[in-house]
Amino acid sequence: MSQKPREQASSVLIVGSMAFDDLELPSANEKDVVGGSATYAAFSAALFAPVQIVAVVGADFPSATLDELHGRGVDVAGVERAAGKTFRWAGRYAANLASRATLDTQLNVFADFRPKLPAAYANTPFVLLGNIHPALQLEVLAQVKKPRLVAADTMNFWIEGERKTLGEVLSKIDLLIINDEELRQLAEDHNVKRAAKRVLGMGPKRLVVKRGECGAMLFDDHGVFFAPAYPLETEIDPTGAGDTFAGALLGYLANVGELDAATLRRALMMAGCVASFCVEDVGTRRTSKLSQQQVATRLEELAKLVQIG
Ligand code: AMP
């Protein structure tokens, strides 16, 4: 099945963080960058499908970002504006951008957030539980009715601190999307293949492992599939590349409307393609303005990387 115009695609419901990020990048220090797992994933999924966001922001969050999301086809009716400060995260990247340290996480309005899905979101067929407290991911799951696919992302912060609740999330989802470091941590095994097997045993039917500039792997009933990353000449800011990847993956699947092996593999290529744009500028500067044509052109180049003969 091929792609259709986004208006004709099934919708994607995204729950996650909306944030201010303070980033120490090799090129510059960037303060108050609008980020968050839901923000990145929404801009990316909206390239392929109508998107609904469930999140919370504080009084200080820019309305311009919500307007920008709306302008890209994202329904922001599920974004609650609470009294207080928006979630804040600070990170420092290594000179080669390959690793980063979290310097600070301030939950702020997330500390008291209880997601309430607008009635219209309960039947959304594709659900992305973006990186957020696993208890909140569960609360969202409790409010949706029989989605076709539930995918979830998480991070070291929750694997370390909320393993039990995260385990409950894993038992209820179809697809887990994590990076290789998180996979090793979750499985307590450094070998990716063994670790993937172990994590699949925790519940999800499919597992996607993001490996940064080394691409991504899909583990499911059909075995293992590998998609390369697009080799970039300009790498500025990898923040949100994982969320952008997850958003594109779900958006593409919602667009095509099939969950067969070939569609999932194509979705993995597409996700890597869109995520590569994220790294080329700070925050969502690049992905919020991306055109279908730019994505299609890069996807062709990406596919050529693994074409033999
Ligand atoms: P990524 O680079 O794909 O892992 O995503 C980075 C984004 O995740 C940043 O914009 C942060 O605001 C957000 N983030 C970082 N830590 C957390 C957390 N503990 N919960 C939710 N979102 C987070």
Side-chain angles (χ1 to χ4, degrees):
M1 284 283 280
S2 54
Q3 252 179 272
K4 39 173 111 65
R6 57 179 296 290
E7 301 72 33
Q8 291 169 25
S10 296
S11 297
V12 181
L13 170 65
I14 296 174
V15 59
S17 55
M18 297 187 88
F20 284 123
D21 295 337
D22 293 332
L23 310 171
E24 290 186 26
L25 300 164
S27 53
N29 286 350
E30 299 276 353
K31 281 191 80 66
D32 299 334
V33 177
V34 171
S37 53
T39 314
Y40 282 105
F43 273 120
S44 153
L47 283 161
F48 308 98
V51 174
Q52 303 151 346
I53 297 190
V54 171
V56 62
V57 297
D60 50 358
F61 195 81
S63 299
T65 303
L66 298 178
D67 293 345
E68 210 183 351
L69 283 161
H70 183 70
R72 299 286 286 186
V74 178
D75 179 349
V76 292
V79 178
E80 183 185 321
R81 195 180 275 278
K85 287 186 185 165
T86 297
F87 174 86
R88 188 172 276 275
W89 177 78
R92 177 187 294 143
Y93 285 87
N96 62 3
L97 290 174
S99 63
R100 76 174 179 209
T102 290
L103 302 178
D104 192 23
T105 299
Q106 292 174 23
L107 292 179
N108 297 331
V109 289
F110 255 114
D112 301 313
F113 178 55
R114 308 302 301 262
K116 281 178 293 300
L117 263 58
Y121 294 6
N123 292 303
T124 303
F126 291 81
V127 178
L128 174 59
L129 304 172
N131 174 30
I132 196 180
H133 194 301
L136 298 183
Q137 293 179 321
L138 285 175
E139 285 192 28
V140 170
L141 272 189
Q143 296 173 59
V144 292
K145 292 178 193 145
K146 289 204 170 73
R148 276 192 72 195
L149 183 87
V150 178
D153 188 1
T154 191
M155 72 183 295
N156 48 6
F157 191 76
W158 308 119
I159 299 172
E160 274 158 32
E162 295 289 339
R163 189 173 267 272
K164 194 163 168 279
T165 319
L166 184 60
E168 216 180 306
V169 173
L170 295 180
S171 71
K172 296 190 159 122
I173 60 170
D174 305 295
L175 168 65
L176 179 68
I177 308 170
I178 49 178
N179 70 33
D180 45 5
E181 209 180 299
E182 292 152 359
L183 171 75
R184 291 183 174 106
Q185 192 185 5
L186 183 59
E188 295 171 318
D189 193 330
H190 71 275
N191 177 280
V192 171
K193 205 162 175 198
R194 275 198 312 259
K197 225 172 167 179
R198 183 127 194 229
V199 167
L200 284 174
M202 297 176 185
K205 286 191 273 301
R206 304 177 176 101
L207 168 70
V208 168
V209 182
K210 299 168 286 181
R211 309 191 74 176
E213 62 171 348
C214 299
M217 296 169 92
L218 167 70
F219 294 86
D220 62 10
D221 285 351
H222 301 276
V224 193
F225 174 70
F226 169 75
Y230 182 79
L232 289 170
E233 239 176 278
T234 309
E235 293 174 280
I236 302 288
D237 175 17
T239 310
D243 309 306
T244 303
F245 181 100
L249 189 78
L250 269 274
Y252 181 82
L253 292 174
N255 183 299
V256 175
E258 306 282 342
L259 294 173
D260 59 287
T263 304
L264 272 149
R265 288 171 174 212
R266 272 198 290 274
L268 209 67
M269 295 288 285
M270 185 60 95
C273 171
V274 178
S276 73
F277 287 102
C278 179
V279 183
E280 288 183 312
D281 208 337
V282 175
T284 58
R285 277 180 212 163
R286 187 98 166 93
T287 51
S288 60
K289 309 229 161 12
L290 211 50
S291 72
Q292 301 278 356
Q293 193 48 51
Q294 288 170 314
V295 173
T297 305
R298 185 166 291 186
L299 186 70
E300 263 177 47
E301 291 176 44
L302 189 60
K304 278 190 199 141
L305 291 180
V306 282
Q307 194 178 309
I308 304 170

